[in-house]
Structures are given as C-alpha cells and as structure tokens.
Amino acid sequence: MNENATAISTSLRARLLRWLLLPGFLLTFGLLAKNYLTVSEMANRIQDRLLVALAVTISEHAINSGGDLLSRDIELLLEQFTRENTYYRVQGPDGAFVTGDFGLPRLPEGVTLEPGVPHFYNAHYRNEDVRAVTMKYLVANPSSNIYGWVIIDVSQTRRERDNLIYDELLGSTTDFLVLMFLGGVFAWIGVSRGLAPLRRLQQAIRRRSTDDLRPIRHAMPKEVTEVVKSLNALLARLESSITANQRFIADASHQLRTPLATVQAEAEWALRNASNPEDRQALERIVDQTRQTARLASQLLNLARVSPEGRKAVRYEKTDLLALAASVTSGMVRQAIRHDIDLGFDDQSEGMNCQIETGNEVLLQEMLSNLIDNAIVYGTPGTIVTVRLIGGGVAVGPVLEVEDNGPGIPKEDRKAVLERFVRLDEQNGQGCGLGLAIVREVADAHRARLTLEDGKDGKGLKVRIEFPL
Ligand SMILES: Nc1ncnc2c1ncn2[C@@H]1O[C@H](COP(=O)(O)OP(=O)(O)O)[C@@H](O)[C@H]1O
Ligand SMILES: [Mg+2]
C-alpha cells in the first residue's frame, strides 16, 4: 500500500503530462497523415487534368499533321512549363499508325476502355515513376483521311508533383512541431501551476510537529478540499484518541499511587518489626521494588501531564528559576550525601534576569530533580555535581545547567536517551528510562532548548536548558 502511495505521488505530474502530450502527439501524427493524403490527392488531380488536356492536344496534332511527332520547340515548351518529362504514343484505328514512344507503358491488362473516358494509372518508365493516361476516342476528320478509333497514351514524370507534396509536408511538419513544443511548454507550466496547491499542502503538513494536530486551514482547490477534509477529520480523531490515552495513563498512574503508598508503608512497618534476617531481606526487597514502582507511577503521571496533549491543562505563570533551582538542589543534598556525591549550586545570575514569564513550577521541579537524580545515581562515589543558573540578558533568556564529572553519555547515544524507556545500562540505577524523556517534554513545554554536552574537561555530562526570553 505504501509502495502504491509513493508511486502515485511521484508520477502525478508525469501522468498529467502523459495524458496531455500523448494524445497531442497522436493527434499531430493523424493530422500530418491526413494532410499528406489531401495534398497528394490534390496534386494527382491537377496532374490528371493536365494529362487529359495534353492527350487531346497531342492526338489532335498528330491526326491533323498526318502522324507527325510534336516539334522539338513544343516539347521544350511543355517541359519548361510542366517541369516534367512528357512521353506519348498515338495509335490509329486497328493500331494502324503509331507516333511517339513505342515502348511507353501500356494500359494494365484487363481494363476495357470506354470511348471518351480517360483511364489513369501509375507506371514506371525510363527509371522514373510516371503518371499515365490512356484514352480512346472517335476521329472523323474530313480534312484528313483518318476515320475510326484513336488510342492515345500520355505519361508524365512525377517530380514536380512529389516536390509539391514534399514542400507542403515539410511546412506543415515544422508548424506542427513548433505547435507541439509550445503545447508541451504550456502543458508543463499548466501542470506545475495546477499542482502548486498540492505542494503547499505538502509543505503545510511537513511543517507540522507531532504535537500540532490542529486542522489544516489552507485555501485549496475544489478537487483537494475533500482530501483535506478527510485529513482534518483524521487529525481530529487522532487528537481525541491521544487525549483519551493520556487521560487513561494519568488516571491509571494516579490510581496506582495510593495502593502503592499503602503497600510501602506496610512493608516499612513490617521491616521495622522483623527480626528474622531472611524476613528482613525479603521485606527490604519489597520496600525497594515498591518505591521504584511508585516512582514509575509518578513519572508516568508527570509524563502524561507534560505531553503535548496534557500540557493544555497545565497553568503557566511567572516563575523564578533561581529560587526553584536552589530549593530543588538543597532538597536533594541528603540523597547526594548518601551516595557520596558532592552536590553544589552555582549561582551565576548576578542580579540578572532569572524569571520566566510562562513557567510551571511543578514541571520544572520534576525536570531538575530528574537531572540531579541521574547525576547522583549514575555517578561514582566522589563525583561532583553542579547545578548552575546563568541569568538572562537583553538578547538571551536564563540558562539552567546540571553538570557532572561522572561516566557521561557517549555522543551517539545522546539522542536516544531522550526517548521514553531508553536506558543505557540496564544493571545500573533503578529507573525505567523515563527521566530524560520527561526532561525533554518539560523543556518543550517551556519552549526551551535542551542540549546534552560533555562536562568540564570533556568528562561527564552537562545538560543545558536555555529558556526563551
Ligand atoms: N548524568 C548521567 N551520567 C551518565 N549517564 C546518564 C546520566 N543521565 C542519564 N544517563 C543515562 O541515560 C539513561 C536514560 O536516563 P533516564 O531517562 O533518566 O532513565 P533512567 O534514569 O530511568 O534509566 C540512563 O539509563 C543512563 O544510562
Ligand atoms: Mg533517571
């Protein structure tokens, strides 16, 4: 199906041109052929009339002169005016007298001559194609001694006639070629212009990001509006199904959180009271797993909240990044100490702008704590983690950085780790690969630019989030 779709899309212009140009070519050839037939028939008819006139004149002359040939002067005159070679033969009654060329082509066999009716045919004489006429008519001339049926043959070469046809055909072919060329050019322009709205539609669709599911509102020609309508209907269905999905995930993770918290509390209580080492081990595992599952549930909820569909419900307000970053960092110091990590805060705002107009505190806290959590969890004991806030100026917004000198993320993996459920080291940590996906979504929701870079001296990881002005 896919293959089909691309085949049609690539050949739309070709198809239109084919359907315009192919009939054009056929039509042209048809017209040329018809033109050839008309011209040659006309030329034949003219030559035939001339032949009859010649036949009558020549035979009259022969009879009146008692069988003389045409004089050389008259023959030259004839040649000059008709530009053809003319041959003739006159036979008296019962073939009694003959003048002219004896070897001239004869009437094809099986043809009976009617008196006074000329018979025309094509023949070959002296290595040339000739047009010939044979006529029979009654002579009763009192001044001569001839009485009876005279048969006259006249043949004429066809050079001038062929020239005429050739010239005419050459002329009309050139005309048609020019016409075809112009037709092709206009067809090309027409097709391009006709397809322009489709190209606009394609660009409009291509410009869309995955979270922009608003209907397409470009003005389109009638033939395409139905397609656009269906597309818009599809977009609407897609949007509502995505929204429903988001709501489902949010509801499900929300529903999970309460029982998980209960299990965790119960397990912790049991752990405190257990004395048997085996029981303690089992209970520790339960507490651990429940904590991890609770984190997953809360991350899923967060993800549903920051995803494009969920974002609409989130309120944005003026947010102070300095206060937020400082409080999240200090809130995680204890966790850092437990892992033997040196977590510090580097305030580089120096009284510059640290506020963003449209921020959501909860989402930003989640983002930052995911980044610090990663640096702590994936860092080895002794790793230094720095949360840095750089104040914004006239042209740039504030920048938030989380830098560590831990193992870092290889360059080729930096794109992949931003995807959901992607983890590089399955053994390490307790996450499920949602942390950086959330970071990305939160950055997107704030129209901030997220980059993953090397840390200081090319060691570790530096995550940089540049907020807009
Ligand atoms: N600061 C970091 N240092 C080294 N590796 C990191 C760091 N942060 C993230 N990673 C790598 O990126 C992967 C994805 O991170 P994340 O999306 O937070 O998922 P999770 O932490 O749940 O595994 C992690 O599994 C880890 O391999
Ligand atoms: Mg993580």
Side-chain angles (χ1 to χ4, degrees):
M1 179 205 153
N2 215 349
E3 230 167 65
N4 240 345
T6 49
I8 286 173
S9 75
T10 50
S11 69
L12 197 49
R13 175 195 295 269
R15 282 174 156 223
L16 284 174
L17 284 176
R18 212 165 36 232
W19 277 104
L20 283 172
L21 293 184
L22 204 68
F25 271 120
L26 292 180
L27 215 66
T28 303
F29 280 118
L31 284 175
L32 280 177
K34 184 174 174 271
N35 202 32
Y36 170 77
L37 291 179
T38 316
V39 170
S40 53
E41 190 183 311
M42 215 156 68
N44 275 347
R45 214 181 307 151
I46 292 170
Q47 195 174 29
D48 287 353
R49 282 184 195 156
L50 188 64
L51 279 174
V52 172
L54 280 172
V56 172
T57 317
I58 290 168
S59 54
E60 284 293 327
H61 169 85
I63 292 160
N64 288 337
S65 65
D68 275 358
L69 290 172
L70 288 181
S71 74
R72 188 63 200 140
D73 285 351
I74 294 183
E75 273 186 357
L76 278 178
L77 202 68
L78 253 178
E79 253 164 55
Q80 224 166 37
F81 277 94
T82 59
R83 303 222 196 125
E84 307 279 11
N85 286 351
T86 308
Y87 311 105
Y88 60 89
R89 177 179 56 213
V90 186
Q91 294 171 73
D94 308 323
F97 86 75
V98 176
T99 185
D101 289 279
F102 189 75
L104 213 58
R106 287 179 184 278
L107 192 65
E109 268 180 50
V111 178
T112 41
L113 274 179
E114 298 286 323
V117 180
H119 184 84
F120 302 101
Y121 52 97
N122 297 327
H124 203 73
Y125 186 59
R126 293 192 181 173
N127 292 327
E128 270 185 286
D129 283 331
V130 291
R131 180 76 175 163
V133 68
T134 300
M135 268 172 74
K136 169 183 177 182
Y137 67 104
L138 193 64
V139 176
N141 191 338
S143 65
S144 76
N145 49 0
I146 303 166
Y147 179 85
W149 294 101
V150 173
I151 295 178
I152 165 113
D153 305 280
V154 180
S155 291
Q156 225 178 16
T157 50
R158 318 182 66 165
R159 290 177 224 140
E160 190 55 23
R161 165 194 168 276
D162 288 347
N163 280 346
L164 187 77
I165 295 175
Y166 176 78
D167 284 351
E168 170 59 28
L169 219 58
L170 192 71
S172 53
T173 308
T174 344
D175 287 354
F176 275 126
L177 284 182
V178 170
L179 213 69
M180 275 311 295
F181 175 74
L182 289 180
V185 169
F186 283 120
W188 181 270
I189 295 174
V191 167
S192 299
R193 295 194 64 119
L195 291 180
L198 279 187
R199 213 167 25 247
R200 277 206 302 280
L201 176 63
Q202 180 207 36
Q203 281 162 356
I205 294 174
R206 194 178 285 163
R207 268 200 303 271
R208 291 293 176 100
S209 66
T210 41
D211 26 306
D212 186 358
L213 297 177
R214 285 169 309 153
I216 293 160
R217 298 219 181 281
H218 284 65
M220 285 289 153
K222 243 190 0 238
E223 291 81 356
V224 193
T225 41
E226 284 309 310
V227 178
V228 175
K229 255 189 221 162
S230 317
L231 201 62
N232 283 343
L234 177 68
L235 285 175
R237 282 205 300 279
L238 203 61
E239 173 148 30
S240 74
S241 102
I242 289 176
T243 313
N245 255 327
Q246 298 291 349
R247 201 175 305 131
F248 171 74
I249 295 173
D251 289 350
S253 44
H254 195 74
Q255 295 296 322
L256 273 174
R257 284 210 299 186
T258 324
L260 277 172
T262 315
V263 173
Q264 193 177 336
E266 298 279 347
E268 276 167 358
W269 181 84
L271 185 58
R272 274 199 295 277
N273 295 319
S275 46
N276 181 346
E278 274 175 20
D279 288 353
R280 290 191 64 85
Q281 248 181 15
L283 284 167
E284 265 165 15
R285 274 201 298 275
I286 292 177
V287 170
D288 224 42
Q289 290 293 316
T290 345
R291 196 176 290 145
Q292 210 174 316
T293 315
R295 172 134 183 84
L296 171 62
S298 99
Q299 280 192 320
L300 278 175
L301 181 62
N302 280 319
L303 204 55
R305 223 183 265 150
V306 284
S307 64
E309 295 315 305
R311 263 180 230 167
K312 289 174 193 153
V314 174
R315 282 193 36 212
Y316 293 93
E317 50 208 0
K318 208 175 188 128
T319 309
D320 182 12
L321 289 178
L322 183 59
L324 184 131
S327 90
V328 173
T329 310
S330 62
M332 295 187 78
V333 168
R334 282 180 53 161
Q335 188 195 341
I337 291 170
R338 245 188 287 133
H339 284 81
D340 204 1
I341 302 280
D342 176 1
L343 174 61
F345 184 63
D346 177 14
D347 175 10
Q348 290 196 2
S349 60
E350 290 163 0
M352 291 194 290
N353 178 31
C354 297
Q355 302 230 320
I356 51 173
E357 291 303 319
T358 48
N360 180 280
E361 214 159 290
V362 179
L363 295 183
L364 289 169
Q365 279 167 357
E366 176 69 19
M367 170 173 84
L368 194 53
S369 65
N370 274 317
L371 289 175
I372 299 172
D373 181 72
N374 278 351
I376 293 173
V377 171
Y378 300 110
T380 42
T383 296
I384 301 168
V385 179
T386 310
V387 178
R388 186 176 300 119
L389 182 72
I390 307 164
V394 191
V396 287
V399 178
L400 201 57
E401 287 182 353
V402 177
E403 185 175 8
D404 66 57
N405 60 353
I409 300 177
K411 274 198 178 59
E412 62 270 21
D413 293 327
R414 285 181 192 165
K415 211 168 125 92
V417 288
L418 298 179
E419 299 295 327
R420 295 171 185 184
F421 299 111
V422 171
R423 311 198 61 221
L424 294 184
D425 183 3
E426 290 297 338
Q427 316 301 319
N428 201 348
Q430 333 179 305
C432 40
L434 289 179
L436 288 178
I438 292 173
V439 170
R440 185 176 70 171
E441 298 279 17
V442 175
D444 275 358
H446 288 83
R447 296 201 314 283
R449 209 169 85 92
L450 168 73
T451 44
L452 269 55
E453 306 165 9
D454 285 340
K456 205 174 157 213
D457 302 329
K459 249 189 120 249
L461 180 73
K462 180 162 92 178
V463 181
R464 195 175 151 87
I465 297 133
E466 297 167 31
F467 288 90
L469 264 182

